[in-house]
Structures are given as structure tokens and as C-alpha cells.
Amino acid sequence: ENATARMEEDVRPEPAAELPADDTITVHANLTQLEFHAKGGLGSVFQATDASLHRRVAVKFIHPNLVADAESRQDFAIEAE
């Protein structure tokens, strides 16, 4: 499978993301070269190459401990907009 093929694998964030070692994020996208960039109050930001768009993109994941909190999810969605 080449680098532009669809990625469907578990991605383990870099330690700098400060997530427990047993947490994984499953990504179903055309992303390659996922690299940790920064951590904020609501989530961790990664840089990746989107094979469909043929460019670098930012990808943000909400912190696992905030997933169940409706207000945090709403704030996260507003940031995305």
C-alpha cells in the first residue's frame, strides 16, 4: 500500500500530547505523516498530509476526558467552525 492510500489504522499520539499510554485514536481518513503539533485546553493538534487534498492540514482531537462533557464538545465544535 503506498503513501497516498487510505489510512485506516490506530494512531498513537506522541508523548507530548500527554495522553495515557493505553489511549488510542482511530483515524479513518486519507492522512499520512501525522505529527504532534500542540496541546490546548480542549484538545491536541496534529499536522498531517491529506492525500485527497494534496496538502498539509491541521487535525484536532478532543481530549478523551472531555468527550462525555456536552459543553466541552459544543465548544470544540465552535472552534472547528
PDB file of all heavy atoms in Angstrom, residues 3-9 11 27-34 46-53 55-59 61:
ATOM      1  N   ALA A   3       1.840   5.549   0.048  1.00  0.00           N
ATOM      2  CA  ALA A   3       1.591   6.631   1.000  1.00  0.00           C
ATOM      3  C   ALA A   3       0.305   7.386   0.727  1.00  0.00           C
ATOM      4  O   ALA A   3      -0.223   8.042   1.614  1.00  0.00           O
ATOM      5  CB  ALA A   3       2.773   7.601   0.985  1.00  0.00           C
ATOM      6  N   THR A   4      -0.229   7.320  -0.472  1.00  0.00           N
ATOM      7  CA  THR A   4      -1.457   8.048  -0.764  1.00  0.00           C
ATOM      8  C   THR A   4      -2.694   7.174  -0.574  1.00  0.00           C
ATOM      9  O   THR A   4      -3.804   7.620  -0.779  1.00  0.00           O
ATOM     10  CB  THR A   4      -1.448   8.597  -2.212  1.00  0.00           C
ATOM     11  OG1 THR A   4      -1.327   7.513  -3.116  1.00  0.00           O
ATOM     12  CG2 THR A   4      -0.322   9.589  -2.393  1.00  0.00           C
ATOM     13  N   ALA A   5      -2.499   5.939  -0.169  1.00  0.00           N
ATOM     14  CA  ALA A   5      -3.634   5.036   0.059  1.00  0.00           C
ATOM     15  C   ALA A   5      -4.404   5.467   1.310  1.00  0.00           C
ATOM     16  O   ALA A   5      -3.866   6.117   2.201  1.00  0.00           O
ATOM     17  CB  ALA A   5      -3.135   3.617   0.201  1.00  0.00           C
ATOM     18  N   ARG A   6      -5.636   5.063   1.356  1.00  0.00           N
ATOM     19  CA  ARG A   6      -6.491   5.400   2.501  1.00  0.00           C
ATOM     20  C   ARG A   6      -5.941   4.753   3.767  1.00  0.00           C
ATOM     21  O   ARG A   6      -5.659   3.576   3.804  1.00  0.00           O
ATOM     22  CB  ARG A   6      -7.903   4.900   2.230  1.00  0.00           C
ATOM     23  CG  ARG A   6      -8.872   5.196   3.328  1.00  0.00           C
ATOM     24  CD  ARG A   6     -10.275   4.769   2.884  1.00  0.00           C
ATOM     25  NE  ARG A   6     -11.215   4.943   3.943  1.00  0.00           N
ATOM     26  CZ  ARG A   6     -11.812   6.092   4.242  1.00  0.00           C
ATOM     27  NH1 ARG A   6     -11.535   7.171   3.527  1.00  0.00           N
ATOM     28  NH2 ARG A   6     -12.668   6.180   5.227  1.00  0.00           N
ATOM     29  N   MET A   7      -5.779   5.571   4.825  1.00  0.00           N
ATOM     30  CA  MET A   7      -5.284   5.075   6.098  1.00  0.00           C
ATOM     31  C   MET A   7      -6.450   4.669   6.972  1.00  0.00           C
ATOM     32  O   MET A   7      -7.368   5.437   7.182  1.00  0.00           O
ATOM     33  CB  MET A   7      -4.506   6.174   6.839  1.00  0.00           C
ATOM     34  CG  MET A   7      -3.044   6.148   6.621  1.00  0.00           C
ATOM     35  SD  MET A   7      -2.184   7.437   7.541  1.00  0.00           S
ATOM     36  CE  MET A   7      -2.607   7.103   9.210  1.00  0.00           C
ATOM     37  N   GLU A   8      -6.428   3.472   7.468  1.00  0.00           N
ATOM     38  CA  GLU A   8      -7.395   3.022   8.456  1.00  0.00           C
ATOM     39  C   GLU A   8      -6.623   2.229   9.491  1.00  0.00           C
ATOM     40  O   GLU A   8      -6.575   1.018   9.454  1.00  0.00           O
ATOM     41  CB  GLU A   8      -8.496   2.180   7.818  1.00  0.00           C
ATOM     42  CG  GLU A   8      -9.406   2.989   6.936  1.00  0.00           C
ATOM     43  CD  GLU A   8     -10.616   2.205   6.472  1.00  0.00           C
ATOM     44  OE1 GLU A   8     -10.863   1.111   7.008  1.00  0.00           O
ATOM     45  OE2 GLU A   8     -11.297   2.690   5.574  1.00  0.00           O
ATOM     46  N   GLU A   9      -6.009   2.947  10.413  1.00  0.00           N
ATOM     47  CA  GLU A   9      -5.178   2.297  11.418  1.00  0.00           C
ATOM     48  C   GLU A   9      -5.257   3.081  12.708  1.00  0.00           C
ATOM     49  O   GLU A   9      -5.681   4.229  12.735  1.00  0.00           O
ATOM     50  CB  GLU A   9      -3.731   2.200  10.947  1.00  0.00           C
ATOM     51  CG  GLU A   9      -3.071   3.548  10.740  1.00  0.00           C
ATOM     52  CD  GLU A   9      -1.669   3.429  10.196  1.00  0.00           C
ATOM     53  OE1 GLU A   9      -1.473   2.744   9.202  1.00  0.00           O
ATOM     54  OE2 GLU A   9      -0.783   4.044  10.794  1.00  0.00           O
ATOM     55  N   VAL A  11      -3.741   5.253  15.553  1.00  0.00           N
ATOM     56  CA  VAL A  11      -2.657   6.220  15.626  1.00  0.00           C
ATOM     57  C   VAL A  11      -2.417   6.518  17.097  1.00  0.00           C
ATOM     58  O   VAL A  11      -3.333   6.899  17.810  1.00  0.00           O
ATOM     59  CB  VAL A  11      -3.035   7.516  14.866  1.00  0.00           C
ATOM     60  CG1 VAL A  11      -1.930   8.544  15.028  1.00  0.00           C
ATOM     61  CG2 VAL A  11      -3.292   7.209  13.414  1.00  0.00           C
ATOM     62  N   VAL A  27      -8.248   6.695  13.220  1.00  0.00           N
ATOM     63  CA  VAL A  27      -8.423   7.674  12.153  1.00  0.00           C
ATOM     64  C   VAL A  27      -8.849   6.946  10.886  1.00  0.00           C
ATOM     65  O   VAL A  27      -8.188   6.013  10.461  1.00  0.00           O
ATOM     66  CB  VAL A  27      -7.113   8.451  11.900  1.00  0.00           C
ATOM     67  CG1 VAL A  27      -7.275   9.418  10.747  1.00  0.00           C
ATOM     68  CG2 VAL A  27      -6.676   9.167  13.163  1.00  0.00           C
ATOM     69  N   HIS A  28      -9.961   7.372  10.304  1.00  0.00           N
ATOM     70  CA  HIS A  28     -10.421   6.837   9.026  1.00  0.00           C
ATOM     71  C   HIS A  28     -10.428   8.000   8.046  1.00  0.00           C
ATOM     72  O   HIS A  28     -11.423   8.687   7.864  1.00  0.00           O
ATOM     73  CB  HIS A  28     -11.831   6.234   9.148  1.00  0.00           C
ATOM     74  CG  HIS A  28     -11.889   5.103  10.108  1.00  0.00           C
ATOM     75  ND1 HIS A  28     -11.501   3.833   9.760  1.00  0.00           N
ATOM     76  CD2 HIS A  28     -12.263   5.045  11.397  1.00  0.00           C
ATOM     77  CE1 HIS A  28     -11.652   3.036  10.804  1.00  0.00           C
ATOM     78  NE2 HIS A  28     -12.104   3.757  11.807  1.00  0.00           N
ATOM     79  N   ALA A  29      -9.263   8.254   7.460  1.00  0.00           N
ATOM     80  CA  ALA A  29      -9.104   9.403   6.569  1.00  0.00           C
ATOM     81  C   ALA A  29      -7.915   9.161   5.655  1.00  0.00           C
ATOM     82  O   ALA A  29      -7.170   8.209   5.837  1.00  0.00           O
ATOM     83  CB  ALA A  29      -8.890  10.679   7.387  1.00  0.00           C
ATOM     84  N   ASN A  30      -7.760  10.041   4.711  1.00  0.00           N
ATOM     85  CA  ASN A  30      -6.624   9.975   3.797  1.00  0.00           C
ATOM     86  C   ASN A  30      -5.459  10.767   4.366  1.00  0.00           C
ATOM     87  O   ASN A  30      -4.924  11.656   3.717  1.00  0.00           O
ATOM     88  CB  ASN A  30      -7.029  10.521   2.423  1.00  0.00           C
ATOM     89  CG  ASN A  30      -7.985   9.592   1.723  1.00  0.00           C
ATOM     90  OD1 ASN A  30      -7.827   8.380   1.774  1.00  0.00           O
ATOM     91  ND2 ASN A  30      -8.977  10.151   1.079  1.00  0.00           N
ATOM     92  N   LEU A  31      -5.065  10.469   5.591  1.00  0.00           N
ATOM     93  CA  LEU A  31      -3.999  11.204   6.259  1.00  0.00           C
ATOM     94  C   LEU A  31      -2.736  10.367   6.336  1.00  0.00           C
ATOM     95  O   LEU A  31      -2.788   9.171   6.608  1.00  0.00           O
ATOM     96  CB  LEU A  31      -4.417  11.580   7.683  1.00  0.00           C
ATOM     97  CG  LEU A  31      -5.671  12.432   7.828  1.00  0.00           C
ATOM     98  CD1 LEU A  31      -5.992  12.637   9.301  1.00  0.00           C
ATOM     99  CD2 LEU A  31      -5.508  13.765   7.124  1.00  0.00           C
ATOM    100  N   THR A  32      -1.620  11.015   6.089  1.00  0.00           N
ATOM    101  CA  THR A  32      -0.314  10.390   6.289  1.00  0.00           C
ATOM    102  C   THR A  32       0.548  11.371   7.055  1.00  0.00           C
ATOM    103  O   THR A  32       0.210  12.547   7.195  1.00  0.00           O
ATOM    104  CB  THR A  32       0.365  10.041   4.946  1.00  0.00           C
ATOM    105  OG1 THR A  32       0.558  11.239   4.198  1.00  0.00           O
ATOM    106  CG2 THR A  32      -0.474   9.059   4.139  1.00  0.00           C
ATOM    107  N   GLN A  33       1.651  10.924   7.575  1.00  0.00           N
ATOM    108  CA  GLN A  33       2.632  11.768   8.265  1.00  0.00           C
ATOM    109  C   GLN A  33       1.997  12.560   9.415  1.00  0.00           C
ATOM    110  O   GLN A  33       2.239  13.751   9.577  1.00  0.00           O
ATOM    111  CB  GLN A  33       3.324  12.708   7.283  1.00  0.00           C
ATOM    112  CG  GLN A  33       4.032  11.980   6.161  1.00  0.00           C
ATOM    113  CD  GLN A  33       4.541  12.918   5.089  1.00  0.00           C
ATOM    114  OE1 GLN A  33       4.035  14.016   4.911  1.00  0.00           O
ATOM    115  NE2 GLN A  33       5.545  12.471   4.366  1.00  0.00           N
ATOM    116  N   LEU A  34       1.201  11.903  10.242  1.00  0.00           N
ATOM    117  CA  LEU A  34       0.568  12.544  11.392  1.00  0.00           C
ATOM    118  C   LEU A  34       1.633  12.840  12.441  1.00  0.00           C
ATOM    119  O   LEU A  34       2.339  11.954  12.891  1.00  0.00           O
ATOM    120  CB  LEU A  34      -0.506  11.622  11.959  1.00  0.00           C
ATOM    121  CG  LEU A  34      -1.422  12.205  13.026  1.00  0.00           C
ATOM    122  CD1 LEU A  34      -2.336  13.257  12.393  1.00  0.00           C
ATOM    123  CD2 LEU A  34      -2.266  11.117  13.660  1.00  0.00           C
ATOM    124  N   PHE A  46      -2.588  18.088  15.643  1.00  0.00           N
ATOM    125  CA  PHE A  46      -1.584  17.369  14.884  1.00  0.00           C
ATOM    126  C   PHE A  46      -1.511  17.960  13.490  1.00  0.00           C
ATOM    127  O   PHE A  46      -2.482  18.530  12.994  1.00  0.00           O
ATOM    128  CB  PHE A  46      -1.946  15.878  14.781  1.00  0.00           C
ATOM    129  CG  PHE A  46      -1.930  15.176  16.113  1.00  0.00           C
ATOM    130  CD1 PHE A  46      -2.982  15.298  16.992  1.00  0.00           C
ATOM    131  CD2 PHE A  46      -0.836  14.413  16.478  1.00  0.00           C
ATOM    132  CE1 PHE A  46      -2.960  14.665  18.224  1.00  0.00           C
ATOM    133  CE2 PHE A  46      -0.801  13.780  17.711  1.00  0.00           C
ATOM    134  CZ  PHE A  46      -1.862  13.899  18.582  1.00  0.00           C
ATOM    135  N   GLN A  47      -0.357  17.844  12.855  1.00  0.00           N
ATOM    136  CA  GLN A  47      -0.204  18.183  11.445  1.00  0.00           C
ATOM    137  C   GLN A  47      -0.199  16.871  10.680  1.00  0.00           C
ATOM    138  O   GLN A  47       0.326  15.872  11.178  1.00  0.00           O
ATOM    139  CB  GLN A  47       1.104  18.920  11.194  1.00  0.00           C
ATOM    140  CG  GLN A  47       1.176  20.278  11.830  1.00  0.00           C
ATOM    141  CD  GLN A  47       2.529  20.920  11.567  1.00  0.00           C
ATOM    142  OE1 GLN A  47       3.389  20.377  10.894  1.00  0.00           O
ATOM    143  NE2 GLN A  47       2.718  22.099  12.128  1.00  0.00           N
ATOM    144  N   ALA A  48      -0.774  16.883   9.496  1.00  0.00           N
ATOM    145  CA  ALA A  48      -0.794  15.676   8.675  1.00  0.00           C
ATOM    146  C   ALA A  48      -0.830  16.078   7.218  1.00  0.00           C
ATOM    147  O   ALA A  48      -1.115  17.229   6.876  1.00  0.00           O
ATOM    148  CB  ALA A  48      -2.016  14.828   9.013  1.00  0.00           C
ATOM    149  N   THR A  49      -0.555  15.131   6.365  1.00  0.00           N
ATOM    150  CA  THR A  49      -0.722  15.335   4.932  1.00  0.00           C
ATOM    151  C   THR A  49      -2.020  14.652   4.541  1.00  0.00           C
ATOM    152  O   THR A  49      -2.220  13.480   4.836  1.00  0.00           O
ATOM    153  CB  THR A  49       0.452  14.739   4.145  1.00  0.00           C
ATOM    154  OG1 THR A  49       1.649  15.412   4.543  1.00  0.00           O
ATOM    155  CG2 THR A  49       0.246  14.899   2.648  1.00  0.00           C
ATOM    156  N   ASP A  50      -2.918  15.420   3.914  1.00  0.00           N
ATOM    157  CA  ASP A  50      -4.175  14.858   3.419  1.00  0.00           C
ATOM    158  C   ASP A  50      -3.950  14.442   1.974  1.00  0.00           C
ATOM    159  O   ASP A  50      -3.745  15.287   1.105  1.00  0.00           O
ATOM    160  CB  ASP A  50      -5.300  15.874   3.524  1.00  0.00           C
ATOM    161  CG  ASP A  50      -6.652  15.285   3.174  1.00  0.00           C
ATOM    162  OD1 ASP A  50      -6.771  14.655   2.106  1.00  0.00           O
ATOM    163  OD2 ASP A  50      -7.600  15.467   3.963  1.00  0.00           O
ATOM    164  N   ALA A  51      -3.971  13.149   1.727  1.00  0.00           N
ATOM    165  CA  ALA A  51      -3.684  12.624   0.385  1.00  0.00           C
ATOM    166  C   ALA A  51      -4.756  13.034  -0.620  1.00  0.00           C
ATOM    167  O   ALA A  51      -4.469  13.168  -1.807  1.00  0.00           O
ATOM    168  CB  ALA A  51      -3.551  11.109   0.431  1.00  0.00           C
ATOM    169  N   SER A  52      -5.985  13.246  -0.167  1.00  0.00           N
ATOM    170  CA  SER A  52      -7.057  13.662  -1.082  1.00  0.00           C
ATOM    171  C   SER A  52      -6.895  15.114  -1.520  1.00  0.00           C
ATOM    172  O   SER A  52      -7.173  15.460  -2.657  1.00  0.00           O
ATOM    173  CB  SER A  52      -8.427  13.498  -0.420  1.00  0.00           C
ATOM    174  OG  SER A  52      -8.669  12.160  -0.118  1.00  0.00           O
ATOM    175  N   LEU A  53      -6.463  15.963  -0.567  1.00  0.00           N
ATOM    176  CA  LEU A  53      -6.313  17.394  -0.854  1.00  0.00           C
ATOM    177  C   LEU A  53      -4.922  17.740  -1.370  1.00  0.00           C
ATOM    178  O   LEU A  53      -4.697  18.859  -1.833  1.00  0.00           O
ATOM    179  CB  LEU A  53      -6.601  18.216   0.407  1.00  0.00           C
ATOM    180  CG  LEU A  53      -7.998  18.060   1.004  1.00  0.00           C
ATOM    181  CD1 LEU A  53      -8.097  18.824   2.319  1.00  0.00           C
ATOM    182  CD2 LEU A  53      -9.056  18.537   0.024  1.00  0.00           C
ATOM    183  N   ARG A  55      -2.209  18.322   0.384  1.00  0.00           N
ATOM    184  CA  ARG A  55      -1.616  19.421   1.152  1.00  0.00           C
ATOM    185  C   ARG A  55      -1.562  19.057   2.629  1.00  0.00           C
ATOM    186  O   ARG A  55      -2.200  18.113   3.079  1.00  0.00           O
ATOM    187  CB  ARG A  55      -2.398  20.714   0.964  1.00  0.00           C
ATOM    188  CG  ARG A  55      -3.820  20.670   1.498  1.00  0.00           C
ATOM    189  CD  ARG A  55      -4.541  21.985   1.230  1.00  0.00           C
ATOM    190  NE  ARG A  55      -5.948  21.853   1.506  1.00  0.00           N
ATOM    191  CZ  ARG A  55      -6.560  22.468   2.512  1.00  0.00           C
ATOM    192  NH1 ARG A  55      -5.896  23.249   3.330  1.00  0.00           N
ATOM    193  NH2 ARG A  55      -7.857  22.297   2.694  1.00  0.00           N
ATOM    194  N   ARG A  56      -0.795  19.851   3.384  1.00  0.00           N
ATOM    195  CA  ARG A  56      -0.715  19.681   4.843  1.00  0.00           C
ATOM    196  C   ARG A  56      -1.962  20.268   5.476  1.00  0.00           C
ATOM    197  O   ARG A  56      -2.483  21.290   5.019  1.00  0.00           O
ATOM    198  CB  ARG A  56       0.523  20.373   5.402  1.00  0.00           C
ATOM    199  CG  ARG A  56       1.849  19.795   4.933  1.00  0.00           C
ATOM    200  CD  ARG A  56       2.177  18.438   5.481  1.00  0.00           C
ATOM    201  NE  ARG A  56       2.558  18.533   6.893  1.00  0.00           N
ATOM    202  CZ  ARG A  56       2.702  17.480   7.683  1.00  0.00           C
ATOM    203  NH1 ARG A  56       2.498  16.264   7.230  1.00  0.00           N
ATOM    204  NH2 ARG A  56       3.050  17.631   8.935  1.00  0.00           N
ATOM    205  N   VAL A  57      -2.445  19.614   6.509  1.00  0.00           N
ATOM    206  CA  VAL A  57      -3.639  20.064   7.215  1.00  0.00           C
ATOM    207  C   VAL A  57      -3.393  19.978   8.717  1.00  0.00           C
ATOM    208  O   VAL A  57      -2.490  19.288   9.175  1.00  0.00           O
ATOM    209  CB  VAL A  57      -4.878  19.206   6.848  1.00  0.00           C
ATOM    210  CG1 VAL A  57      -5.236  19.366   5.376  1.00  0.00           C
ATOM    211  CG2 VAL A  57      -4.669  17.744   7.202  1.00  0.00           C
ATOM    212  N   ALA A  58      -4.213  20.684   9.477  1.00  0.00           N
ATOM    213  CA  ALA A  58      -4.230  20.567  10.927  1.00  0.00           C
ATOM    214  C   ALA A  58      -5.400  19.669  11.306  1.00  0.00           C
ATOM    215  O   ALA A  58      -6.486  19.770  10.733  1.00  0.00           O
ATOM    216  CB  ALA A  58      -4.385  21.939  11.572  1.00  0.00           C
ATOM    217  N   VAL A  59      -5.155  18.779  12.255  1.00  0.00           N
ATOM    218  CA  VAL A  59      -6.184  17.861  12.729  1.00  0.00           C
ATOM    219  C   VAL A  59      -6.225  17.980  14.245  1.00  0.00           C
ATOM    220  O   VAL A  59      -5.196  17.833  14.909  1.00  0.00           O
ATOM    221  CB  VAL A  59      -5.861  16.400  12.336  1.00  0.00           C
ATOM    222  CG1 VAL A  59      -6.973  15.465  12.785  1.00  0.00           C
ATOM    223  CG2 VAL A  59      -5.615  16.288  10.842  1.00  0.00           C
ATOM    224  N   PHE A  61      -7.966  16.719  17.889  1.00  0.00           N
ATOM    225  CA  PHE A  61      -8.728  15.700  18.583  1.00  0.00           C
ATOM    226  C   PHE A  61      -9.070  16.204  19.974  1.00  0.00           C
ATOM    227  O   PHE A  61      -8.201  16.711  20.683  1.00  0.00           O
ATOM    228  CB  PHE A  61      -7.912  14.407  18.716  1.00  0.00           C
ATOM    229  CG  PHE A  61      -7.542  13.791  17.394  1.00  0.00           C
ATOM    230  CD1 PHE A  61      -6.286  13.983  16.849  1.00  0.00           C
ATOM    231  CD2 PHE A  61      -8.447  13.013  16.694  1.00  0.00           C
ATOM    232  CE1 PHE A  61      -5.926  13.408  15.637  1.00  0.00           C
ATOM    233  CE2 PHE A  61      -8.108  12.438  15.476  1.00  0.00           C
ATOM    234  CZ  PHE A  61      -6.852  12.635  14.954  1.00  0.00           C
TER     235      PHE A  61
END
